[in-house]
Amino acid sequence: MNPTLTRLLAELEHDMSTEAAHGFARLVAAYFADTRVGDGRVSTALAPTELATRFDEPLPRAGQPMADVLARLERDVVAESNRLMHPRSMGHQVSAPLGAAVWAEALTGALNQSGAVWEMSPVGTIVETQVVRWMCALAGFGPGAGGTFTSGGTEANFAGLLAARQAAMPDAWTQGVGATPPVVVCGEHAHYGVARAVGELGLGTDHIVTVPSREFRMDVAALEQTLDRLRADARAVMAVVATAGTTATGSFDDLEAIGQLCDARGLWLHVDGAHGASALFSPLHRTRLAGLHRARSMAWDPHKMMLIPLTASVVLVRDEADLEAAFSQRAPYLFHAGDGERNWDQGVRSFSCSRRIDAFKVWVALQRHGAEGFGILYDHLCATARTLFDLLGTRPDFVAPHEPQSNILCFRYVGGRAVNEAALDALNLELRTSYNRGGDGWITTTVLGGRRVLRVTLMNPRTTAADLARVVDGLARLGAELAAR
Ligand SMILES: *Cc1c(COP(=O)(O)O)cnc(C)c1O
């Protein structure tokens, strides 16, 4: 045999050993240990070009020992990545992932089951179906409900709206949407992915009607007026999109009131619960989702408030047939009829063909912590945001434009308030950049009501009141320095 092939085959065997696994496990566990205590920087100090230089090298011609690859991973990847396990990492809606789900990733990769068809994933499709059923039940959907895992909330929103399009325009799949498609109504704080989906669906983003907010939630009276006006103008509505946990402020639309309006008019309600649907686990917070059972479709990202590593997301529909109708293509070589009562092939209700079974890590995490555990974690993260809000309330140099409804909070550095609002906009933007560059904490920023604000999302259960105080003190010190220049 070719000696290179002989060596390569030996490497393949070595890499499946417990010894090889330990190399990776040690690297991951060391990262956890170094990071979770809050020593060291939250994010890299290097600029993109400096990082690019580290990786700018010829395509490796020959392989190298695993130990060398691990050393390189430790030095160039782990050391310079965003440390979401760090207790002062408070940036975007990406979690400090649960250990159990992290380790389950290796098993998912090892098994490499493909989710589209039952014959390629005899247990995976079943586990996915079961996790989807649990989530449908939490949402208050009945026995005919179903869904599928997706690549993220973006795809889940797209799939929900595709199902709505199929119901509103059954011929659109074959004939297109024509010149006068129906409109999609959504709140002004809807995720940008909703508008993107409307574009992708061929409806044209000019056919989006936005409803203003009141206290960062969809103004239900304005929604009613909008629907009345559309009816008077004889413009059909394909769907109303409400948000449970908006990206900017983590606010929840009033699903009960919106759902009643939609029911009375026979309109499809899609709920974007990518961020906030995990509140369903919390006895304290699930009332924020009252009325969710009125939705025809919804998006929910376990990779957000369930702290599952990226990616894990689902689209759920109250009637599973709606999702199957949405993807009405035929592929006889792949999809066979089910075993009588049900087609277990997830591909018939999914945008994707080949895809991993993200449901495994969600299932593992649910086995490990139980629904109760997820409710407690959700409450804890929301309580941390509340602690920050209370802390800011004691300080003259910050204002918070909203109370936290979940684990997201926006606030603004105002210093001594001598500066005008436009100057504060610029100052807050610069403050965020400079603060993050310092490395002691990591936050984000957005624009709210036309004003630049700082924003944090608490996605790490290790963040303490002391960490919050340290971040606020750090921002205040730097803000005063920047204002004094
Ligand atoms: C995060 C988020 C999305 C997008 O989901 P991805 O998983 O990032 O694709 C959509 N809507 C809301 C409200 C979100 O918070």
Side-chain angles (χ1 to χ4, degrees):
M1 201 172 3
N2 173 338
T4 316
L5 175 59
T6 308
R7 201 191 60 229
L8 199 55
L9 292 178
E11 284 169 9
L12 301 190
E13 301 316 303
H14 167 270
D15 290 356
M16 293 195 296
S17 66
T18 307
E19 186 199 338
H22 279 171
F24 278 92
R26 266 195 298 270
L27 184 64
V28 175
Y31 159 72
F32 286 159
D34 290 349
T35 307
R36 68 175 176 221
V37 291
D39 292 344
R41 299 180 59 89
V42 181
S43 182
T44 183
L46 300 178
T49 45
E50 293 173 297
L51 287 167
T53 307
R54 286 205 187 181
F55 289 91
D56 184 9
E57 62 196 10
L59 174 71
R61 240 183 68 75
Q64 51 193 304
M66 184 67 98
D68 295 353
V69 179
L70 285 166
R72 184 82 196 281
L73 277 174
E74 185 173 11
R75 190 176 69 240
D76 287 338
V77 176
V78 178
E80 304 303 335
S81 289
N82 285 350
R83 307 188 144 215
L84 301 166
M85 280 295 160
H86 192 296
R88 289 186 302 284
S89 164
M90 308 181 184
H92 295 282
Q93 297 152 279
V94 193
S95 70
L98 302 172
V102 170
W103 302 119
E105 291 276 38
L107 184 67
T108 304
L111 296 176
N112 206 29
Q113 309 287 290
S114 186
V117 264
W118 177 82
E119 70 176 24
M120 294 170 82
S121 187
V123 181
T125 49
I126 305 290
V127 167
E128 175 166 322
T129 302
Q130 185 58 49
V131 172
V132 161
R133 280 182 181 158
W134 284 334
M135 294 172 87
C136 284
L138 284 164
F141 290 177
T148 181
F149 271 65
T150 62
S151 62
T154 302
E155 184 193 324
N157 284 331
F158 171 85
L161 290 176
L162 182 70
R165 191 188 77 172
Q166 183 64 23
M169 316 174 72
D171 296 329
W173 189 270
T174 48
Q175 295 170 15
V177 300
T180 52
V183 301
V184 171
V185 176
C186 65
E188 63 170 326
H189 290 114
H191 190 267
Y192 76 89
V194 172
R196 186 182 276 210
V198 171
E200 288 162 346
L201 290 165
L203 301 167
T205 53
D206 287 351
H207 294 92
I208 296 171
V209 176
T210 45
V211 179
S213 298
R214 179 183 285 254
E215 310 265 289
F216 308 104
R217 314 167 75 200
M218 190 190 285
D219 180 337
V220 179
L223 171 65
E224 187 165 19
Q225 283 163 16
T226 301
L227 295 176
D228 286 346
R229 182 166 44 78
L230 289 167
R231 189 153 58 184
D233 296 347
R235 293 179 72 189
V237 174
M238 191 187 91
V240 172
V241 180
T243 308
T246 55
T247 310
T249 59
S251 308
F252 288 72
D253 289 342
D254 183 345
L255 302 181
E256 184 56 44
I258 295 167
Q260 281 182 22
L261 276 179
C262 290
D263 280 350
R265 291 158 198 250
L267 297 178
W268 185 292
L269 172 62
H270 174 79
V271 172
D272 178 0
H275 188 77
S278 299
L280 291 167
F281 286 110
S282 158
L284 201 63
H285 286 273
R286 73 171 149 241
T287 52
R288 297 192 188 277
L289 288 143
L292 177 62
H293 65 282
R294 297 178 186 277
R296 289 284 294 269
S297 56
M298 66 177 287
W300 180 352
D301 280 353
H303 66 221
K304 289 184 176 159
M305 293 291 280
M306 284 177 75
L307 311 185
I308 302 297
L310 294 169
T311 56
S313 174
V314 296
V315 57
L316 305 178
V317 283
R318 205 168 66 198
D319 182 351
E320 192 161 57
D322 283 336
L323 204 51
E324 289 165 12
F327 296 103
S328 54
Q329 75 296 314
R330 306 209 172 285
Y333 76 98
L334 267 185
F335 305 126
H336 312 292
D339 56 7
E341 111 272 7
R342 182 171 205 284
N343 185 346
W344 296 96
D345 297 343
Q346 284 293 71
V348 300
R349 42 191 85 92
S350 166
F351 184 84
S352 315
C353 184
S354 296
R355 69 174 167 83
R356 20 182 291 127
I357 301 291
D358 286 326
F360 279 141
K361 59 190 168 185
V362 179
W363 185 87
V364 167
L366 282 165
Q367 300 293 328
R368 174 78 174 107
H369 304 296
E372 207 176 70
F374 284 96
I376 291 167
L377 282 173
Y378 186 94
D379 290 350
H380 174 59
L381 293 168
C382 294
T384 308
R386 170 58 64 169
T387 302
L388 175 59
F389 178 76
D390 292 343
L391 170 65
L392 293 169
T394 66
R395 301 192 57 127
D397 46 355
F398 290 93
V399 291
H402 70 104
E403 278 190 49
Q405 288 195 17
S406 55
N407 62 329
I408 300 177
L409 185 66
C410 294
F411 55 101
R412 184 165 157 95
Y413 175 72
V414 294
R417 290 183 204 239
V419 205
N420 68 42
E421 295 293 327
L424 280 177
D425 288 341
L427 180 61
N428 275 269
L429 188 58
E430 196 186 351
L431 176 53
R432 185 264 174 164
T433 310
S434 274
Y435 180 73
N436 285 2
R437 202 184 295 129
D440 195 57
W442 209 94
I443 65 168
T444 60
T445 169
T446 188
V447 173
L448 216 54
R451 299 264 77 107
R452 175 63 59 180
V453 291
L454 307 172
R455 171 178 173 275
V456 298
T457 313
L458 284 318
M459 302 293 288
N460 184 352
R462 294 157 199 86
T463 301
T464 62
D467 290 309
L468 298 172
R470 180 158 158 179
V471 169
V472 170
D473 288 341
L475 286 167
R477 210 174 315 115
L478 192 56
E481 261 173 48
L482 293 175
R485 276 175 329 176

